[in-house]
Amino acid sequence: MDVRKCKLFVLTAETKNISRTAELTGYTQSGVSHTLKSLEDEVGVKLFTRDRYGVRLTPIGSDLLSYVK
């Protein structure tokens, strides 16, 4: 788990929006989404629930957020 992935994870958890995270970091929306998916693959669990209104942390995602911060 690299620092870049951790930073995007924390910011997305705070903004609850992948597009907003992209705007704040200079990444594309697709880049943020792919990075978060890569992190989920790396840890082996789903960290966010995605819908058309944004993203929400799963219970495991919430636990990881506390650890990463």
Side-chain angles (χ1 to χ4, degrees):
M1 184 179 329
D2 68 36
V3 174
R4 177 182 58 92
K5 288 179 185 178
C6 291
K7 287 181 180 181
L8 289 176
F9 170 68
V10 170
L11 189 56
T12 303
E14 291 173 349
T15 64
K16 298 179 174 76
N17 189 291
I18 291 173
S19 295
R20 181 69 180 136
T21 297
E23 290 173 13
L24 294 171
T25 60
Y27 286 87
T28 63
Q29 179 273 333
S30 178
V32 172
S33 185
H34 285 288
T35 301
L36 294 175
K37 177 66 175 131
S38 172
L39 178 60
E40 289 178 328
D41 291 344
E42 187 176 328
V43 297
V45 294
K46 192 170 182 179
L47 301 173
F48 291 100
T49 301
R50 295 160 174 84
D51 61 29
R52 64 183 175 161
Y53 303 108
V55 295
R56 290 177 285 122
L57 283 171
T58 63
I60 293 173
S62 185
D63 290 343
L64 182 63
L65 180 63
S66 297
Y67 175 78
V68 169
K69 279 186 167 184

